[in-house]
Amino acid sequence: MTEKANIIVIGTGGTIAGQGKAANNTSAYECSVRGIGDILSTIPHACALANLRTEQLLQNGSENFSNEHLLAIGKRVSTLLAQHDVDGAVIAHGTDTIEETAYFLHLTLKSSKPVVVVGSMRPPSAMSSDAALNLYDAIAVAAHPSSVGLGTLVFANDEIHTARDVAKSSSFKIEAFRSPYGPLGYVIEGQPRYYRHPSRAHTLATPWSIETLGPLPQVDIVYAYGALEPEAVSAITARAQGLIYAGTGNGNVAAHLIEPLRDAVRRGVHVVRASRTGSGIVLRNGAQPDDAYGWLTVEDQIPSKARILLMLALTQARDLQALQAVFERY
Ligand code: DGL
């Protein structure tokens, strides 16, 4: 028999730490109230998967998470992973912004130890809650040698996703998490099975280290539609260093918004054309002459991921070519 892995289980709040009044409260309940030790005590079988230790890092809904929260989570996880008696980490997290926190960790942690971010769509108190099984399976993933070196993973509803691709795609269904190219694998009976690996650079192969990151630059997102007023674009770019423009279709920009966006570039704002469709590539110099306007384009990153990536990119580069290369590489 091989030795069990030592896994740290970190609580940050969310539905997985929620409590409803009655078992039929699947969507109306209080979030972020139960401690991680308490939640873990409901799945005693997890002790067979790994030696477990808990830490309550935050107790907050993930819709509140600022850049400072991201940095605090990343720095603490990094410190824990550096300990010789920690083989991996599970982070229990609200599902609303799990895709952002996980991608941030994926790009900035300097460790090959498994990190699995997990949430639930129903609180532990609800009928057919996914909380206990998701947490159990996430521990199984973090403890398994086949998860080493894959970067940050997100576990939900039987599926192992790479942090790069996964996004929340339903406001209430158990089946809420989707990766455009499919999950990396599944867990069945506490046993992870992988069918593919992340192909883009992450963790040890990126230039960003959580250990040295300071305050992150302000990058905002604007959701496009034909009636969007130029003043709204000017207001949102007034303080930002970067703007993710979640354009229609292939990152299209309405004619009356071209000048406000070009003006933002003249004021030093890095404008990135993305798509509000939720998947697909935005073709550089396709719908708009990006080179002529000094605009960047995402490759296939959805706006929430593009914001994380541009914040990190701007900590090291300002040059248009270098920034564009980041979207092609990560
Ligand atoms: N308050 C939301 C959050 O923490 C709850 C959503 C969830 O965890 O499913 O993201």
Side-chain angles (χ1 to χ4, degrees):
M1 199 186 119
T2 53
E3 247 181 70
K4 282 193 289 184
N6 299 314
I7 301 299
I8 179 96
V9 185
I10 299 165
T12 68
T15 295
I16 198 164
Q19 179 68 45
K21 285 201 177 75
N24 59 355
N25 290 130
T26 53
S27 289
Y29 49 84
E30 210 181 336
C31 269
S32 314
V33 287
R34 292 183 65 173
I36 190 64
D38 172 30
I39 306 164
L40 199 58
S41 69
T42 65
I43 49 167
H45 316 80
C47 295
L49 298 171
N51 302 314
L52 300 171
R53 174 151 76 91
T54 61
E55 178 164 317
Q56 192 72 49
L57 180 55
L58 300 168
Q59 189 61 293
N60 203 346
S62 70
E63 67 276 17
N64 301 311
F65 285 3
S66 62
N67 294 342
E68 289 69 38
H69 288 100
L70 292 183
L71 289 165
I73 294 171
K75 286 180 191 286
R76 183 60 189 150
V77 172
S78 174
T79 300
L80 290 165
L81 291 180
Q83 295 174 3
H84 66 89
D85 59 348
V86 171
D87 299 312
V90 169
I91 306 168
H93 193 290
T95 60
D96 285 4
T97 65
I98 206 169
E99 67 208 51
E100 281 122 297
T101 303
Y103 191 41
F104 178 75
L105 299 175
H106 190 64
L107 294 171
T108 61
L109 287 175
K110 291 290 162 252
S111 173
S112 59
K113 294 180 183 177
V115 173
V116 184
V117 195
V118 63
S120 72
M121 292 301 291
R122 295 178 185 160
S125 52
M127 282 190 276
S128 292
S129 172
D130 50 338
L133 185 57
N134 278 355
L135 185 56
Y136 178 81
D137 286 347
I139 292 167
V141 173
H144 202 273
S146 60
S147 304
V148 172
L150 300 184
T152 301
L153 302 164
V154 170
F155 188 83
N157 198 34
D158 304 323
E159 296 179 340
I160 309 164
H161 294 265
T162 168
R164 180 189 185 271
D165 294 344
V166 72
K168 186 172 183 178
S169 59
S170 169
S171 61
F172 77 101
K173 290 200 300 185
I174 293 274
E175 191 190 1
F177 289 88
R178 219 175 282 154
S179 294
Y181 316 111
L184 299 182
Y186 304 101
V187 174
I188 184 162
E189 291 283 323
Q191 192 69 25
R193 293 164 192 239
Y194 286 98
Y195 299 93
R196 59 188 195 88
H197 282 176
S199 63
R200 298 293 179 104
H202 58 78
T203 52
L204 299 169
T206 79
W208 309 292
S209 169
I210 189 66
E211 291 302 324
T212 51
L213 276 178
L216 296 165
Q218 178 78 25
V219 173
D220 292 309
I221 301 173
V222 69
Y223 187 94
Y225 44 92
L228 180 61
E229 307 239 338
E231 292 74 18
V233 172
S234 306
I236 201 161
T237 54
R239 280 183 340 105
Q241 294 181 46
L243 178 75
I244 308 299
Y245 186 83
T248 54
N250 202 314
N252 278 309
V253 181
H256 69 286
L257 296 173
I258 290 175
E259 264 318 300
L261 288 172
R262 294 190 68 186
D263 183 53
V265 172
R266 285 180 211 113
R267 286 184 280 112
V269 181
H270 298 274
V271 172
V272 182
R273 284 198 305 120
S275 171
R276 68 175 205 182
T277 58
S279 67
I281 290 164
V282 172
L283 192 64
R284 185 162 179 80
N285 295 315
Q288 295 290 334
D290 298 294
D291 286 345
Y293 292 172
W295 292 346
L296 296 154
T297 49
V298 294
E299 205 249 10
D300 69 339
Q301 294 87 0
I302 59 172
S304 60
K305 309 274 188 189
R307 188 183 77 88
I308 299 290
L309 192 50
L310 184 60
M311 285 196 302
L312 291 172
L314 287 174
T315 64
Q316 292 189 353
R318 298 280 145 168
D319 166 70
L320 204 69
Q321 263 194 333
L323 292 171
Q324 186 62 56
V326 162
F327 286 97
E328 316 298 330
R329 181 163 164 76
Y330 300 101

